């Protein structure tokens, strides 16, 4: 069996369980559409996607399955093949196969990634391009197309130039090299050429045509004022604090201007100062922010790293309400929101991610979100909620709630996240661990049992040993284990 076919079955299963969700690399289809333009857009989007994508026929919108006949499959393949060859700027050879999935004969159509990007609809407008975002086919912005063209030529966003034709002195006026030396724990050199050499070594600047240029990486991390860089305007971080639980009355707003590395600690400290405080008595009285600092730090860093720089007009926004804390960044998450724990992250901005790691701003790869949620759980706070759309990702934290104030989805989400953290430590979830997570008394173990049963019914956890059917001795692991 060819590799794409093996991968196709795995991707389809991931899209259907435990919560049905269409993925960027896969689109369900219940039948062939007469709208050839829309089919061309799907093919275009998958051709522009890293690794290509799949159309799967035999899946209804409600995720129920049905079998496709050979006659119907032949008709679908013929139509899609003609569209792939004739309706785009380049002829695309699609691949297909009818495969059994849970007793149903489904048609899998594979659209391979094109090396010469962007693929676009036939015509003179090369910006008539499509991509996949949050499981949907959407038209690309001009900025997204420009970045895609650069990436197809081997140039990443971080390597593109933010300002050109600068002297050495002008570079040092624009870049906060002092903060770089501080983060590297080095003494600042008094020699301009030495400082320039360090900036060049970290790819923050490049020499070009007997002058100097600041890269997007250098600007986004160490700009003294991000507004000095025309293509990076709007990439600042905005913190807003509201009166009450809605955004009708603004109490305070801060618009950051520093690069992310230069201003990160100041940003986190500013956020912490605005948060309500809670008293915890452990022999001594402590005055702590209502949300763990480690969670704030990791989620903010994650938003900076994984944003989509091709989406304009949407700065990273941090909002403080009386009943929640919200971080919003441009760009849908590349991973399923149910798999953000215990899974190596995929990053749009790999160079930026590595630089933030090197500078000690974020944790080692894949551990940041886990540490953040572990801190939330340790404080017995409600679970973190992740939301997504075609254009943004939201992380929502909530202040302390009594168990009877939590909704059923809250309890299920907390139980699932608890199972993920335990599985990372190679431990299983049981009644006792759930009682400890929620602060439930031993005499009320039936409450923990109900939470476990609801999470199991939602398909988010499974028995660690299917042969043990007694609920008293049953233990559980995440559905993906």
């Amino acid at each position: 069996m060819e590799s794409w076919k093996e991968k196709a079955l795995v991707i389809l299963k991931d899209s259907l369980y435990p919560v049905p969700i269409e993925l960027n690399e896969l689109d369900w289809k219940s039948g062939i559409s007469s709208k050839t333009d829309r089919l061309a857009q799907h093919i275009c989007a998958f051709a522009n996607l890293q690794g290509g994508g799949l159309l799967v026929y035999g899946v209804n919108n409600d995720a129920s399955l049905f079998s496709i006949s050979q006659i119907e499959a032949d008709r679908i393949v013929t139509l899609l093949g003609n569209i792939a060859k004739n309706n785009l700027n380049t002829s695309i050879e699609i691949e297909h196969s009818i495969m059994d999935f849970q007793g149903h004969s489904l048609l899998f159509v594979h659209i391979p990634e094109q090396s010469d990007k962007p693929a676009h609809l036939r015509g003179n407008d090369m910006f008539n391009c499509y991509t996949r975002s949050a499981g949907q086919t959407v038209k690309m912005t001009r900025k997204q197309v420009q970045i895609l063209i650069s990436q197809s030529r081997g140039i990443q966003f971080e390597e593109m130039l933010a300002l050109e034709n600068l002297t050495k002195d002008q570079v040092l006026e624009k870049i906060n090299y002092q903060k770089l030396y501080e983060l590297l724990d080095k003494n600042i050199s008094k020699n301009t050429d030495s400082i320039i050499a360090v900036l060049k070594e970290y790819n923050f600047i490049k020499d070009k045509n007997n002058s100097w240029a600041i890269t997007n990486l250098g600007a986004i991390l160490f700009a003294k004022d991000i507004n000095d860089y025309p293509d990076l305007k709007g990439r600042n971080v905005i913190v807003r604090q509201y009166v009450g639980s809605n955004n009708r009355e603004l109490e305070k707003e801060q618009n950051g201007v520093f690069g992310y590395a230069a201003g990160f600690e100041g940003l986190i400290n500013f956020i912490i100062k605005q948060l309500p405080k809670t008293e915890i008595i452990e022999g001594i009285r402590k005055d702590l922010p209502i949300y763990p600092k480690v969670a704030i730090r990791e989620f903010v860093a994650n938003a900076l790293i994984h944003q989509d720089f091709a989406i304009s007009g949407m700065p990273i926004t941090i909002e403080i309400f009386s009943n929640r804390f919200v971080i919003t960044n441009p760009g849908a998450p590349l991973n399923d929101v149910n798999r953000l724990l215990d899974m190596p992250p995929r990053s749009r901005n790999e160079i930026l991610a590595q630089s933030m790691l090197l500078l000690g701003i974020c944790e080692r790869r894949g551990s940041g979100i886990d540490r953040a949620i572990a801190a939330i759980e340790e404080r017995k706070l409600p679970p973190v909620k992740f939301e997504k759309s075609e254009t943004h990702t939201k992380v929502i934290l909530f202040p302390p709630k009594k168990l009877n104030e939590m909704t059923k989805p809250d309890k299920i989400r907390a139980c699932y996240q608890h199972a993920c953290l335990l599985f990372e430590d190679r431990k299983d979830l049981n009644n006792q661990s759930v009682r400890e997570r929620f602060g439930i008394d031993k005499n009320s173990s039936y409450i923990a049992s109900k939470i476990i049963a609801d999470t199991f019914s939602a398909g988010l956890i499974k028995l660690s040993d299917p042969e043990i059917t007694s609920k008293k001795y049953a233990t559980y692991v995440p559905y993906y284990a």
Side-chain angles (χ1 to χ4, degrees):
M1 181 179 283
E2 297 175 31
S3 59
W4 78 263
K5 296 180 184 179
E6 296 173 350
K7 183 179 178 182
L9 293 170
V10 174
I11 294 174
L12 177 59
K13 183 179 179 181
D14 288 344
S15 77
L16 295 174
Y17 306 104
V19 180
I21 182 172
E22 288 185 293
L23 307 175
N24 284 345
E25 57 265 54
L26 182 144
D27 202 313
W28 307 328
K29 292 296 177 187
S30 58
I32 194 68
S33 171
S34 59
K35 299 177 181 179
T36 56
D37 287 348
R38 186 56 177 165
L39 291 172
Q41 291 168 8
H42 286 317
I43 294 170
C44 175
F46 287 130
N48 286 323
L49 188 69
Q50 184 177 1
L54 297 157
L55 295 171
V56 182
Y57 287 84
V59 187
N60 291 310
N61 289 335
D62 63 359
S64 60
L65 306 175
F66 65 94
S67 292
I68 294 287
S69 68
Q70 185 65 57
I71 293 175
E72 179 67 4
D74 290 342
R75 191 171 75 87
I76 293 171
V77 170
T78 298
L79 178 59
L80 292 177
N82 288 335
I83 293 173
K85 288 181 179 179
N86 301 321
N87 290 45
L88 278 71
N89 65 307
T90 182
S91 178
I92 296 175
E93 292 291 335
I94 64 172
E95 303 169 282
H96 68 277
S97 179
I98 295 179
M99 294 188 286
D100 179 81
F101 183 83
Q102 298 184 352
H104 298 277
S105 296
L106 307 182
L107 172 63
F108 292 77
V109 180
H110 177 237
I111 297 94
E113 176 187 3
Q114 297 301 291
S115 58
D116 187 16
K117 297 188 183 72
H120 59 86
L121 302 190
R122 184 176 290 278
N124 295 325
D125 185 6
M126 71 172 296
F127 289 96
N128 195 8
C129 303
Y130 288 80
T131 189
R132 297 281 292 177
S133 178
Q136 302 294 319
T137 293
V138 296
K139 189 168 184 179
M140 300 175 73
T141 65
R142 294 183 72 89
K143 186 68 175 178
Q144 285 175 309
V145 175
Q146 291 168 350
I147 292 176
L148 185 62
I149 292 172
S150 296
Q151 290 176 341
S152 68
R153 296 172 180 170
I155 304 173
Q156 300 303 308
F157 170 81
E158 298 96 321
E159 298 172 310
M160 297 168 66
L161 304 182
L163 276 184
E164 301 182 60
N165 301 316
L166 302 175
T167 64
K168 294 178 182 179
D169 288 339
Q170 288 173 324
V171 166
L172 300 188
E173 289 174 3
K174 299 291 185 184
I175 292 289
N176 190 341
Y177 63 90
Q178 297 93 337
K179 189 65 179 181
L180 171 62
Y181 274 82
E182 178 185 327
L183 292 173
L184 296 175
D185 196 24
K186 291 183 177 181
N187 294 323
I188 300 175
S189 173
K190 297 180 180 180
N191 183 283
T192 296
D193 288 339
S194 296
I195 298 172
I196 290 292
V198 170
L199 294 175
K200 182 180 178 182
E201 177 186 353
Y202 286 94
N203 297 314
F204 299 149
I205 63 173
K206 292 182 178 180
D207 51 345
K208 183 180 178 184
N209 300 329
N210 297 318
S211 64
W212 292 92
I214 298 173
T215 63
N216 280 343
L217 180 65
I220 206 69
L221 287 177
F222 289 103
K224 289 184 177 178
D225 188 340
I226 206 137
N227 296 306
D228 289 342
Y229 305 86
D231 288 342
L232 296 179
K233 286 184 178 179
R235 295 300 162 195
N236 58 316
V237 180
I238 299 176
V239 180
R240 296 190 178 109
Q241 184 173 16
Y242 298 101
V243 176
S245 60
N246 57 61
N247 61 3
R248 289 192 287 271
E249 186 176 351
L250 180 66
E251 180 176 331
K252 188 178 296 184
E253 178 176 284
Q254 174 178 276
N255 286 268
V257 298
F258 298 142
Y260 299 158
F264 188 76
E265 292 301 333
L267 170 64
I268 299 302
N269 290 334
F270 178 80
I271 293 170
I272 295 297
K273 287 180 181 179
Q274 314 315 311
L275 296 177
K277 301 296 188 294
T278 182
E279 292 181 343
I280 297 179
I281 300 176
E282 296 175 343
I284 59 173
R285 186 175 296 271
K286 297 181 180 179
D287 198 23
L288 298 175
I290 201 166
Y291 307 109
K293 184 175 181 179
V294 64
I296 299 295
R297 183 184 181 92
E298 295 302 334
F299 283 130
V300 170
N302 195 68
L304 298 175
I305 291 170
H306 297 296
Q307 67 179 296
D308 188 342
F309 286 104
I311 296 177
S312 58
M314 186 186 293
I316 291 175
T317 306
I318 297 167
E319 297 172 296
I320 305 170
F321 300 89
S322 61
N323 64 347
R324 66 196 185 280
F325 177 87
V326 183
I327 304 171
T328 306
N329 67 270
L334 296 178
N335 283 336
D336 179 357
V337 292
N338 288 317
R339 293 301 319 275
L340 295 180
L341 282 84
D342 190 32
M343 188 175 187
R346 295 166 59 195
S347 177
R348 292 183 179 88
N349 313 301
E350 188 61 33
I351 299 174
L352 175 61
Q354 292 292 344
S355 295
M356 296 276 273
L357 175 64
L358 176 68
L359 295 168
I361 293 170
C362 62
E363 280 296 312
R364 65 185 184 275
R365 301 302 304 275
S367 69
I369 288 181
D370 299 355
R371 291 181 72 246
I373 292 181
I376 293 288
E377 183 171 293
E378 184 179 353
R379 293 270 291 273
K380 303 291 190 293
L381 293 174
V384 178
K385 187 175 184 181
F386 300 99
E387 294 181 349
K388 70 171 185 177
S389 77
E390 294 178 2
T391 58
H392 75 267
T393 301
K394 280 190 177 183
V395 178
I396 308 173
L397 279 63
F398 300 94
K401 285 183 183 179
K402 294 179 180 179
L403 184 60
N404 60 10
E405 294 175 332
M406 288 191 196
T407 64
K408 180 178 177 179
D410 286 341
K411 296 171 187 175
I412 290 174
R413 195 166 60 251
C415 186
Y416 170 63
Q417 292 177 4
H418 176 61
C420 293
L421 291 176
L422 287 175
F423 183 69
E424 185 180 348
D425 292 335
R426 296 303 178 257
K427 298 178 181 178
D428 296 343
L429 177 147
N430 58 26
N431 189 283
Q432 179 181 342
S433 74
V434 171
R435 282 190 281 111
E436 292 173 354
R437 162 61 180 98
F438 289 95
I440 300 171
D441 185 83
K442 184 177 182 180
N443 295 326
S444 300
S445 62
Y446 68 93
I447 298 176
S449 297
K450 180 65 167 61
I451 294 172
I452 293 171
D454 288 340
T455 310
F456 183 84
S457 296
L460 291 171
I461 59 174
K462 65 182 182 182
L463 288 165
S464 57
D465 185 351
E467 294 184 2
I468 298 178
T469 57
S470 169
K471 291 185 178 180
K472 182 177 181 180
Y473 300 105
T475 59
Y476 301 84
V477 292
Y479 72 90
Y480 55 80

